[in-house]
Amino acid sequence: MMSKTLNDSQSRKEQDTSNKTNGVLLDVKDLHTYFFTEEGIVKAVDGVSFQINYDEILGLVGETGCGKSVTALSLLKLIRSPGEILSGQILFDGDDIVSKTEDEMLKIRGNSITMMFQDPMNSLNPVMKVGDQLAEVYLLHQMDNLKAELIKAREKNKRLKENLKRMKNELKTSSPDGAETLKNQIKAIKEQIKFRITITNMAHRESAALLDRIGLPNADTIINRYPHELSGGMRQRIMIAMGLACNSKLLICDEPTTALDVTIQAQILDMIRELKRKLKNSVLFITHSLGVIYELCDRVAVMYSGNIVEYGPVENIFKKPMHPYTKGLMGAIPRVTKASRESELQIIPGMVPNLIYPPNGCRFHPRCDHAMQICKEINPPLKLMENNVQVACHLFDEDKSNSTLFRKLTFEEKQEDVL
Amino acid sequence: MSLVKYTIRRILALIPILFGVLFMTFIMTRYIPGNPFMFAIGEHPTTSQIKAMNEMVERYGLNEPILVQLWMYVQKLFSGNWGVSLIIRRGTPVWSMILDVFPRTVEIALLSVGIATGIGIKAGISSAVNRNTRKDTFIRFFALMGVAIPVFWLGMILQFTFGYRLGLLPSTNYFDANLDPVPKITHLRLIDTLITGNLIAFWDTVLHLIMPVFCLSFIYLAGITRQTRSSMLEVLELDYVRTARAKGCKEKDVINKHAFRNALIPVVTVVGLGFAGLLGGAVLTETTFNLNAMGMLTIQAINSIEYDIINATIFIGTIILVSANLIIDLVYGIVDPRIRY
Ligand SMILES: Nc1ncnc2c1ncn2[C@@H]1O[C@H](COP(=O)(O)OP(=O)(O)OP(=O)(O)O)[C@@H](O)[C@H]1O
Ligand code: SF4
Ligand SMILES: [Mg+2]
């Protein structure tokens, strides 16, 4: 407990100096989200602090089960029992989300903050056409645009009808050979005229257009299908479309590209980037893939077992990862070189810790090559390094004079804490 | 198209089942020792009574070998003759007896299931949404009572209170026999009285039906509420409900538009089978309120081993049950697009 508060207050001061960009959109302070299950308390998010600036993409990376999705869900207050946000603040534009009521959250979800979910198989409603699910977003959040579109469409319809009338009159007076072409023209116009145009039609049209833009062929037919009639990749793109359609200030993408092949993945990343450029909104991008982080993000937070262990600009961290866990993650990226085909992929030894009984001190210590006595006792706070990167690791403590504390642990000593 | 094909296939598959049931009931009733006339004349018949009985047995071919009788029965059935009553209303065609009572059963079943479904679904949803609150506890308490209370006991309490003590409602019969007869157009008394503008008879039937329908809907309500609650609770935990919330859907839409339709399938089963069960006759309720509908006819027929009536009621009950199953399966397909035939 001690170490967590220390962690927070220290990192806070340092972050304030480190973010020189144009202001903070989202400021998460010492967030704790626990699940009170029958087996015990799952400390899924345990003292996480980070910030997202305006017009920035922050990557969140970490092994499976380290609490990435729970962090994201907390930002929308979508944690359901037995889970609970125990403490901490989530300041969005200076407004604390944690203290908001469910009614107030309705105005935030989809409007200010949107989330694309990780699992496209289960995240779409199986008994609703995907077009309806997508159109719902437009109807909820872009009513003004839709109304404008509706007026335009109705005017066009009216013009078409007037044209039709005029042509029919002409037909009565025209010569027999001119009549043939006129008749064809009339037929073409008739096809374009709609009997009635509703706001739902507009929402469907927008949906189809969006699907088209994110590279789904035959968008017009796809909007009339049910989720089970689509492939995993198609479903994932529907999810992405739902996120993009919201146009919100903060877009949370929870591994949106995992089920997609590389080409589509690249397209989606381009879209997110483009959207960001156009709307100047911010993105929290959750992924397992460091490659995607490198391509897309401005800054990255590396998460391990409910804590953020390294946090800073992408280039700096990729150039010189400092936390042993980050180093391990980098080592686990397959590289397409001749040497790498011959050498084995480096894997971080050991298991992801159990979040009910996490190891004391630094949660990574049972798996860390550099683990020291102090690592077992004190969870290291995030500490600002010279290249604007923050790291939570005792290797970077300034005062290492206490030799008992900074003695390296043996393998057996490291395993003592593992359950 | 495939839906039509599927339905036809299912209906064809029903034919052997129906014949099986018909043969089984026929043979089983004939194996009951004695015959209807023997029951009618009692334990110490006079010789003339025995003689009369034997004549009757001869006349109706009851001493022929069983398979011969079955053959005769099937022939009769296919020429549209369901037999005649031998004892209860001697000489009356079975078909017209059923036509007398079945519409009553339909009326009672429609009302009870309709009311139970309407209230049960609302209560179940509300119970699930307000899980573990006082409202939930209250609703679950009533649902549990519906399961635990025997329907005839509830009926008797109601009769005692509203019929006998307060004198507000008639406690027995389907309608007041002193009223002028109502022409049978649809055979459903509530509708016939309305069509002919006979509001007195209409109101009289309504009053007679209040208590029995209350009893039956109370019992069915319990099952529907519990089923709706549990399947709503399941669905509300699912990811796509979270997606709907994340989109900013209002809670009302999350529940009615996204969750409820997904929770509907098990509810359809409970409602459908409940309805089928009621159409077969609600023996206890009918007896308590002396309604004289399908259930009572079946019991009377069994008590006096009226072969043809037993066969007919069981046959109709079977048809209702299998059709209900078919309809339930078809409704599944409407509710859930993943189910295809
Ligand atoms: N509803 C829940 N009830 C109990 N525990 C939960 C619940 N949801 C998540 N957890 C736990 O919280 C921890 C963090 O889960 P989370 O989904 O955030 O992982 P993640 O980092 O997103 O992993 P992945 O990369 O696989 O998506 C896990 O240990 C998980 O078991
Ligand atoms: S704090 Fe200690 S155990 Fe944790 S990463 Fe640093 S050296 Fe390893
Ligand atoms: Mg996740």
Side-chain angles (χ1 to χ4, degrees), chain B residues 114-140:
Chain B
I115 292 171
T117 310
I119 300 177
I121 285 178
K122 278 238 146 56
I125 291 178
S126 155
S127 185
V129 171
N130 301 300
R131 179 184 196 173
N132 292 339
T133 61
R134 210 175 287 171
K135 204 168 177 180
D136 181 27
T137 316
F138 183 75
I139 292 171
R140 281 163 71 193

Side-chain angles (χ1 to χ4, degrees), chain A residues 106 109 123 125 133 136 141, chain B residues 243 245 247 257-258 262:
Chain A
L106 283 183
R109 293 185 193 133
S123 296
N125 191 335
Q133 298 188 48
E136 201 177 20
H141 302 300
Chain B
T243 309
R245 289 207 172 93
K247 277 199 262 187
K257 220 163 123 188
H258 287 272
N262 282 286

